[in-house]
Structures are given as C-alpha cells and as structure tokens.
Amino acid sequence: RVVTELKVKRFSLGSRPSQRRDPVTGEEPLEIRVGGSPLAVTMRTPGNDYELAAGFLVSEGVISSRDQFTQAQYCRGAGAEGGNTYNVLDVALAPGVEPPSPDLTRNFYTTSSCGICGKASIDAVETSSTFDLAADRTEVELERLLKMPETLRESQDIFNRTGGLHAAGLFDAQTGEMLALREDVGRHNAVDKVIGWALLEGRLPLSGCVLQVSGRASFELLQKAKMAGVPIFSAV
C-alpha cells in the first residue's frame, strides 16, 4: 500500500503514554525482470511501478526512447500461492533492443536509501548517456528556480499525510510549470519514476527542463539526470 496506518505510542514528560493510529508511508520490495530474467530488487513505495521500471532501465543505459519499451506486466513471484503480490514486474523490450548485460544484474537488493547498492564493481557504477548535455544551452531565471522547491513541497500529497518521504519534480525551465511529480521513500526511486514518466510520454531527452529533488545532490541522482538528458539539476 502507498499509505498504511499503524498504532503508535506517544510519550510526554509528566503524563502517561497515549496510543493512537498514525498514517505512515508504505515500503515494499519490487523485483524488476526483463524478458523473464531477474534484473534488480528495489525497496519502494508502491505506485507508478511501470514508470519506476522504465526509469530504472533508462538510468542503467538499457533504453533511451519510448519505442524501445514494449510493455510491462505484473507476475506472480516465488511463493505467491495466494495470488499476485504486485511486487514482481516483467518488462518486455522491443525487438532488436539488447537485453541488459549480466554485469548490470544487482546481486543484492537496492535499499530505499541507496541507488547503486548491489553493483558488483566500480566499473559498473558509472554509465554513459546517449544524449549530449554539453550541447544543451538551457537556462533558468534564478527567481523561478528558487520557487521550485516550494512548489514541489506544496504538491506532495503523500508527504502531507505521512510527513516523511522524498519527491522529484520535472519543471519547464522557461515557464516554471511543473510537468510531473513523483514521491517515494527512496529518492532514487522518485527520480526513476519521473524519468520513466518522461520516457513513456516520449519526452526524452529532457532538454529545456529542470529536475528538482527534495534531498541532496547525490552521485546516483546526478547520473540518472544525465542519462535522461536533463540539463539542469536542482537540490535542496
């Protein structure tokens, strides 16, 4: 579930503990398969899973355009006797698209706090983009840029209910319009969901856009922006 409720206890000095129900952000594993072969497992907030898988494949350099992504469907994982758990997603690539290299297969699951966990070597960490960012001359006015974190925060519906998760938003650099926003317990998942949305909408490369995130400018997020052809990255 995207949001669930748990019983929590509150402690205050000089008073007895009280108990109440509190909404918290959901977190479940998602196994991403390509052509039936396992590729990675990531801890994520359920929702927008097709976008998450598509964005992950862009970030890993497997695909870079809409016509390379044929379809995705949920399938039953091992031990799912009770039915589909919606935690295993199989992606079909277009004919002629090279499947992921065995070197990309994540040997361990990717936690919500680590976007490169499970990589087997240093060489496997850095990826090369098919888009030429050096040729992109996108600019954004400072005043418009400084408004983006506030716009992102005000639009976080799940954060407003639970008080804790990351977000990534894609903005038009010229107008400041927010084109897409995704939330997730993992900052790298939120970015992958936005990139996946852009891929499925046929918008890559994301020239003329700003990628605004709710956290820090970490290595893996900058690399994901590069892989999607984002010319400007903004972090709180």
Side-chain angles (χ1 to χ4, degrees):
R1 294 189 224 172
V2 177
V3 176
T4 188
E5 284 195 349
L6 297 177
K7 289 183 178 180
V8 298
K9 281 189 175 182
R10 300 182 65 184
F11 297 88
S12 301
L13 290 175
S15 61
R16 299 179 61 183
S18 61
Q19 184 170 285
R20 65 182 174 87
R21 300 189 68 83
D22 190 50
V24 296
T25 304
E27 182 180 27
E28 296 181 14
L30 176 69
E31 179 183 332
I32 300 174
R33 299 177 181 176
V34 177
S37 299
L39 178 62
V41 177
T42 183
M43 296 300 296
R44 98 300 190 191
T45 298
N48 307 109
D49 289 337
Y50 286 21
E51 296 174 351
L52 174 57
F56 181 81
L57 292 175
V58 171
S59 298
E60 295 293 337
V62 178
I63 58 177
S64 59
S65 63
R66 177 64 182 88
D67 58 2
Q68 295 175 319
F69 186 100
T70 300
Q71 67 174 2
Q73 62 179 6
Y74 291 104
C75 51
R76 293 174 62 176
E81 294 86 357
N84 198 328
T85 62
Y86 296 97
N87 284 335
V88 180
L89 189 66
D90 193 13
V91 176
L93 303 180
V97 178
E98 289 290 329
S101 166
D103 293 338
L104 289 181
T105 303
R106 298 293 177 92
N107 298 315
F108 307 98
Y109 76 94
T110 302
T111 68
S112 58
S113 61
C114 178
I116 58 175
C117 296
K119 292 276 191 168
S121 67
I122 293 296
D123 291 339
V125 169
E126 189 169 4
T127 52
S128 299
S129 178
T130 59
F131 307 122
D132 183 10
L133 271 72
D136 194 311
R137 295 292 182 260
T138 299
E139 295 183 353
V140 60
E141 293 182 2
L142 179 59
E143 183 179 357
R144 182 170 293 131
L145 180 69
L146 295 179
K147 289 180 180 179
M148 292 179 184
E150 181 180 357
T151 301
L152 184 73
R153 172 64 188 85
E154 290 176 347
S155 304
Q156 286 188 249
D157 293 336
I158 305 175
F159 185 96
N160 290 335
R161 296 169 61 188
T162 64
L165 80 171
H166 287 284
L170 192 66
F171 290 81
D172 184 294
Q174 186 173 5
T175 66
E177 176 190 2
M178 187 166 64
L179 306 174
L181 176 147
R182 296 293 182 267
E183 296 178 275
D184 200 280
V185 289
R187 59 182 183 269
H188 53 90
N189 289 335
V191 170
D192 275 341
K193 287 178 178 181
V194 167
I195 292 175
W197 169 84
L199 176 102
L200 296 177
E201 291 292 320
R203 288 175 171 260
L204 296 190
L206 287 168
S207 179
C209 293
V210 177
L211 181 61
Q212 174 70 54
V213 298
S214 61
R216 63 187 177 89
S218 60
F219 167 82
E220 70 267 29
L221 298 194
L222 289 166
Q223 181 161 269
K224 289 176 184 295
K226 176 188 74 172
M227 296 302 292
V230 178
I232 299 177
F233 182 95
S234 173
V236 175

